[in-house]
């Protein structure tokens, strides 16, 4: 086989691309992974130390097998690498005063979470306000909340997961090109040409996992399927003793509210007693260009976050650090994992819409199956690229 001819090329090595590369290399195919930066990096959607994971997935029951399989794969990666990737700290998810509050396209997130847990036999408890107050006094309650607690929910370390999968992929024979922007992906008859400044490469199939940049490789009629929004992450001091916020005492959590912009979620004090707690909400007001967005978080944005979070949580005034990140969102909040509508050699994967990381390890497996076999064991119906 000539050196510029591959079975599969993976374009973009973030959460999804690194998982796909690992799974493809495990199956022994000739695979090249290319990224414009040196992953893990802080320019895309997969940085900021932690990503929340839960098995009762309120965004839809079709996501549950992906989250469950991802937990299994992360344990496999931990055994192979000696690195800690997944921490099951317990997860607490509760609604505000009004039950109906959309999260990632799910109109009644807590009810749907409970239903998914019941359907798949996932260990959980439904909590009333009294039980919530006594179990998690770190939050402020207003009397009408509905709560769900899942002991196996927790967080994944995104940078570590990417790094481990890339390292294992290389040790299994994959080739990785870092700091190599792909300038064109051109489907030809029965193959795909991938153009970089290191030359053009050809593959039988290409997996396109370019995150917030995916539209750049698609025809103009498809680009409005992927809206990119700037998000922010904040690490605040707490009000009172940090002991109450350490892992073991404090869970990962999501607190829904009246609108999707008022959702609050966060993590325990994973950086120890002096690192603060990471909190975030979601912004869908203004779309952005991933190459031109303002990466800095302003004082005004910190003040807005403090005002939102302090309604629900005992946080202090001091924001230790903040960073920005990118959501790529489809109109219905579902993922896109599908063959290109006109070129079956090209597989598109945009599993973000703000909730993709917890599924990424299994999505890598799904993408490897699609690239090699043309089909997958996972349900894919909701992820088709409809126009
Ligand atoms: C702030 C924030 C919080 C989140 N919280 C959660 C959470 O708690 N739980 C959860 O499950 N999910 C969460 N998500 C979503 C999750 O992180 C994303 O679904 C996931 O990271 C998307 O991965 P990706 O591989 O699609 O994109 P990325 O990881 O960004 O990877 C895309 C890669 O493609 C590369 N690329 C792009 N263009 C080119 C090119 N021309 N040439 C070469 N390479 C290219 C980029 O450099 C990048 O490395 C969150 C996302 C954000 C932004």
């Amino acid at each position: 086989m000539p050196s510029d001819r591959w079975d599969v090329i993976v374009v973009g090595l973030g959460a999804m691309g690194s998982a796909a590369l690992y799974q493809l290399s495990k199956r022994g195919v000739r695979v090249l992974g290319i990224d414009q930066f040196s992953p893990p990096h802080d320019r895309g959607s997969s940085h900021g130390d932690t990503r929340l994971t839960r098995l009762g997935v309120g965004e839809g029951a079709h996501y549950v097998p992906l989250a469950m399989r991802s937990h299994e794969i992360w344990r496999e990666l931990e055994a192979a690498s000696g690195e800690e990737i997944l921490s099951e700290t317990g997860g607490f998810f509760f609604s505000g005063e009004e039950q109906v509050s959309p999260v990632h396209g799910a109109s009644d997130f807590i009810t749907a979470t409970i239903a998914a847990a019941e359907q798949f036999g996932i260990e959980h408890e439904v909590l009333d306000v009294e039980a919530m107050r006594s179990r998690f006094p770190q939050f402020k309650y207003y009397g009408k909340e509905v709560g769900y607690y899942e002991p196996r929910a927790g967080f994944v370390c995104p940078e570590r997961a990417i790094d481990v999968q890339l390292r294992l992929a290389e040790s299994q024979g994959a080739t990785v090109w870092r700091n190599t922007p792909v300038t064109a992906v051109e489907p030809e008859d029965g193959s795909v040409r991938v153009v970089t400044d290191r030359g053009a490469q050809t593959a039988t199939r290409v997996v396109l996992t370019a995150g917030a940049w995916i539209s750049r490789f698609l025809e103009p009629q498809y680009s409005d399927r992927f809206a990119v929004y700037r998000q922010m992450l904040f690490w605040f001091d707490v009000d009172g003793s940090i002991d109450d916020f350490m892992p073991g005492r404090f869970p990962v959590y999501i607190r829904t509210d009246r609108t999707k912009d008022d959702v609050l979620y966060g993590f325990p004090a994973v950086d120890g007693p002096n690192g603060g707690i990471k909190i975030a909400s979601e912004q869908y007001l203004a779309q952005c260009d991933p190459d031109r967005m303002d990466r800095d978080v302003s004082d005004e944005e910190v003040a807005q976050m403090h005002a939102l979070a302090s309604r629900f949580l005992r946080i202090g005034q001091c924001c230790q650090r903040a960073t920005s990140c990118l959501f790529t969102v489809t109109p219905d909040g579902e993922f896109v994992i599908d063959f290109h509508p006109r070129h079956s050699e090209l597989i598109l994967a945009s599993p973000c819409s703000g909730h993709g990381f917890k599924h990424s390890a299994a999505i890598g497996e799904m993408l490897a199956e699609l690239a090699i076999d043309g089909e997958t064991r996972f349900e894919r119906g909701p992820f088709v690229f409809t126009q």
Side-chain angles (χ1 to χ4, degrees), residues 122-286:
I122 295 158
E123 187 183 348
H124 70 283
E125 292 171 62
V126 178
L127 306 177
D128 62 19
V129 179
E130 280 319 302
M132 292 186 236
R133 277 206 180 98
S134 105
R135 182 90 68 95
F136 299 117
Q138 302 90 336
F139 295 97
K140 298 173 185 172
Y141 303 97
Y142 294 87
K144 289 188 185 161
E145 292 87 350
V146 177
Y148 165 97
Y149 179 73
E150 185 185 297
R152 291 198 54 208
F155 65 88
V156 190
C157 301
E159 291 92 343
R160 206 172 293 154
I162 291 170
D163 183 50
V164 165
Q165 288 175 110
L166 291 181
R167 280 195 281 123
L168 290 176
E170 286 184 284
S171 73
Q172 290 167 167
T175 301
V176 174
W177 287 0
R178 294 177 168 81
N179 301 310
T180 309
V182 170
T183 51
V185 172
E186 298 166 349
E188 297 173 333
D189 208 13
S191 64
V192 188
R193 200 162 161 266
V194 174
V195 183
T196 75
D197 60 9
R198 293 172 68 163
Q201 306 289 307
T202 304
T204 308
R205 276 213 162 108
V206 163
V207 175
L208 186 57
T209 43
W213 291 264
I214 193 165
S215 312
R216 308 258 166 104
F217 298 102
L218 299 176
E219 298 87 334
Q221 70 265 32
Y222 302 130
S223 58
D224 65 353
R225 296 273 300 150
F226 304 100
V228 179
Y229 295 94
R230 173 177 171 272
Q231 306 295 321
M232 290 165 287
L233 301 167
F234 304 82
W235 285 257
F236 271 92
D237 280 351
V238 301
D239 180 16
S241 169
I242 190 73
D243 292 348
D244 296 341
F245 293 85
M246 296 302 282
R249 303 237 341 233
F250 191 63
V252 299
Y253 65 90
I254 299 176
R255 202 269 188 202
T256 69
D257 203 8
R258 285 177 292 269
T259 75
K260 59 185 183 176
D261 298 299
D262 281 346
V263 166
L264 186 78
Y265 66 95
F267 301 81
V270 299
D271 296 326
N274 301 316
I277 53 168
K278 179 179 148 185
I279 57 178
S281 62
E282 300 190 342
Q283 321 293 325
Y284 298 96
L285 299 174

Side-chain angles (χ1 to χ4, degrees), residues 11-17 34-37 39 41 43-47 50-54 162 180-183 209-214 217 229 231-233 265 267 278 280 324-327 335 349-359:
V11 175
L13 299 177
M16 308 302 158
I34 310 178
D35 202 284
Q36 62 186 341
F37 304 125
H41 59 76
R43 307 275 95 185
S45 304
S46 303
H47 57 280
T50 46
R51 287 290 183 273
L52 204 153
T53 180
R54 50 199 150 85
I162 291 170
T180 309
V182 170
T183 51
T209 43
W213 291 264
I214 193 165
F217 298 102
Y229 295 94
Q231 306 295 321
M232 290 165 287
L233 301 167
Y265 66 95
F267 301 81
K278 179 179 148 185
S324 57
C325 194
L326 293 162
F327 273 6
F335 300 162
S350 180
C352 185
S353 292
H355 58 111
F357 207 97
K358 69 182 75 55
H359 308 294

Side-chain angles (χ1 to χ4, degrees), residues 230 232 234 296-306:
R230 173 177 171 272
M232 290 165 287
F234 304 82
D296 295 329
V297 176
S298 69
D299 291 346
E300 191 187 348
E301 289 169 328
V302 170
Q304 282 166 357
M305 185 59 182
H306 186 272

